[in-house]
Amino acid sequence: MTTAVKRVGILTAGGDAPGLNAVIRGFGKTAINHYGMELIGFRDGIKGLVENHYVDLDGAALSGILTTGGTILGTSRDKVHKYIVNGEPQNMVPTVQENLEKLKIDALVMLGGGGTAKNAKQLMDAGVNVVSLPKTIDNDIAYTDTSFGFATALEIATDAIDRLHSTAHSHHRIILAEIMGHRAGWLSLGSGIAGGADIVLIPEIPYSVDSITDTIKARIARGSTFSVVAVAEGARDSKDAADYQAARLLVDAAKTPEAHRAAKTHLANVADAQREHTFKLARELEAATGLESRVTILGYVQRGGIPCAEDRILATRLGTAAADLVKAGEFGILVAARGQGTEAVPLQQVAGKVKLVPTDHDWIKTARKVGTGLGD
Ligand code: F6P
């Protein structure tokens, strides 16, 4: 296999994140200039693979993209084994295999998060030579120290917390900044520590409104008539967290396709009912403390724009390492960041796993030591 790879496909899947283009460039320049490979880019993630929609990527296409946000290839959240056709999920793995064969693609490089690792594993199981790279602002991919996009989002969320302090302080308000991260608290905890949030709420530690109220009242008693709260989008109070967990367990326990569908619908309803949790918390805190409360949802601002220097370096390191691994014929792997180097981790180890914040993590201990309330 070592010298066999001539033509490689690359795609970006899942939510966009800063650094995607830097990886495409790092991989592409190494693959083309050092190893003499040809590179094509599939459009819009899995969609392009299924619908055979691609572009040739040559030196010119890879030039000037190191610093740009988003992805030059486009992206989508489609799943290869549950691709929606006329409203119904279908397994498109055989179609993808056919397309790759017709295009004479020897290896496929997939840039994405947890969902993409699962897609990559499906293709690997069908015999496709896949290499996956860890992209997400959430930092929740297992078996990698970090993922590209996270450092930039951390800077943006920290800057937002810094700026929100001005209004919180001047108007004597509680400001809740809702921060992305899916079901993981890395982004909220990191930016909360860096921005000096008074309270940080993460999914890994279900909160109690009483505990948050106590923290804010103690601050008022010390003369601080404002508070900034970093709220992870996945953070919940103890009751909501238990309801959500119970609904998830029902999905895992479902034995028939019908039971699975019903459990998924129930889970979606529970999640829907909890969607406005940050606004609900703001109302509760206003009533309990007498301080006016406001919510700022940071949203897509956190994933937009140029990658920071740290992400550019990480993306370039991972991209070039991935090209080396493709050249060496190492497939079925995630190119993980490990210290200042990289490590090839088997996809079967990574797919389906999520890296949450361990409740004894140093960041949590650090936050507690400086008096940050964690809502528990
Ligand atoms: O995984 C990245 C992320 O931005 C999460 O933080 C967030 O929960 C999710 O994507 C939002 O996804 P979408 O853009 O599809 O709404």
Side-chain angles (χ1 to χ4, degrees):
M1 187 35 117
T2 318
T3 52
V5 175
K6 295 225 167 0
R7 224 164 122 73
V8 182
I10 191 166
L11 61 80
T12 56
D16 67 304
L20 279 167
N21 293 330
V23 175
I24 296 171
R25 171 182 174 271
F27 179 85
K29 282 186 182 262
T30 313
I32 297 170
N33 300 337
H34 286 265
Y35 298 131
M37 297 173 189
E38 290 172 21
L39 185 62
I40 71 161
F42 288 98
R43 290 277 190 205
D44 302 331
I46 297 297
K47 193 172 169 25
L49 267 188
V50 172
E51 299 182 5
N52 213 18
H53 192 191
Y54 62 91
V55 283
D56 290 322
L57 293 176
D58 54 14
L62 299 174
S63 175
I65 63 170
L66 170 66
T67 60
T68 58
T71 157
I72 56 164
L73 294 174
T75 187
S76 70
R77 287 199 183 274
D78 295 305
K79 298 185 177 82
V80 70
H81 55 299
K82 288 182 196 161
Y83 194 78
I84 304 299
V85 181
N86 299 326
E88 286 297 320
Q90 291 199 11
N91 179 10
M92 299 307 260
V93 172
T95 308
V96 168
Q97 277 177 299
E98 247 175 65
N99 289 342
L100 292 175
E101 268 163 38
K102 270 193 232 145
L103 288 169
K104 299 193 184 332
I105 298 291
D106 305 307
L108 181 65
V109 176
M110 302 173 73
L111 282 48
T116 306
K118 283 191 204 163
N119 278 318
K121 163 98 172 26
Q122 292 284 336
L123 292 169
M124 175 192 92
D125 289 344
V128 178
N129 290 332
V130 284
V131 167
S132 146
L133 287 113
K135 167 243 51 170
T136 175
I137 65 163
D138 304 337
N139 188 33
D140 63 351
I141 302 176
Y143 301 104
T144 179
D145 289 356
T146 188
S147 48
F148 56 91
F150 177 63
T152 306
L154 190 57
E155 291 295 330
I156 297 169
T158 300
D159 181 60
I161 291 174
D162 289 349
R163 288 171 190 279
L164 290 171
H165 267 95
S166 310
T167 303
H169 176 259
S170 306
H171 284 261
H172 312 287
R173 285 178 181 162
I174 299 170
I175 297 190
L176 298 93
E178 189 182 288
I179 295 168
M180 278 185 167
H182 202 223
R183 293 274 146 200
W186 297 106
L187 197 50
S188 301
L189 184 57
S191 59
I193 293 171
D198 305 298
I199 293 155
V200 176
L201 305 175
I202 60 173
E204 293 85 348
I205 303 179
Y207 61 81
S208 119
V209 177
D210 286 347
S211 159
I212 305 169
T213 303
D214 287 348
T215 306
I216 295 173
K217 283 190 173 164
R219 284 176 48 73
I220 297 172
R222 292 197 300 270
S224 296
T225 54
F226 72 95
S227 282
V228 174
V229 188
V231 189
E233 62 178 348
R236 296 289 182 271
D237 65 26
S238 309
K239 182 187 171 300
D240 280 359
D243 288 352
Y244 187 83
Q245 184 57 15
R248 278 190 76 116
L249 289 176
L250 281 180
V251 174
D252 293 344
K255 297 259 182 305
T256 62
E258 294 72 34
H260 192 256
R261 248 198 300 275
K264 286 278 256 195
T265 307
H266 174 62
L267 178 64
N269 289 340
V270 171
D272 247 12
Q274 299 182 358
R275 204 165 296 285
E276 302 283 290
H277 65 101
T278 308
F279 289 95
K280 180 167 159 262
L281 177 60
R283 287 194 296 275
E284 288 167 336
L285 293 179
E286 183 163 305
T289 64
L291 292 183
E292 260 188 329
S293 300
R294 295 281 193 274
V295 173
T296 296
I297 295 182
L298 305 191
Y300 294 123
V301 167
Q302 295 160 102
R303 350 197 277 220
I306 60 171
C308 67
E310 190 180 330
D311 268 335
R312 294 180 202 181
I313 295 170
L314 176 67
T316 307
R317 286 203 303 112
L318 292 175
T320 54
D324 295 343
L325 289 162
V326 167
K327 174 66 183 167
E330 275 206 49
F331 300 117
I333 48 158
L334 170 84
V335 186
R338 186 77 63 236
Q340 283 311 303
T342 59
E343 190 180 309
V345 182
L347 270 176
Q348 58 262 33
Q349 223 168 298
V350 181
K353 303 264 172 40
V354 180
K355 183 179 72 181
L356 299 177
V357 182
T359 47
D360 61 350
H361 193 272
D362 194 54
W363 286 10
I364 289 187
K365 291 182 194 155
T366 302
R368 289 196 199 280
K369 279 187 195 138
V370 294
T372 309
L374 295 176
D376 56 346

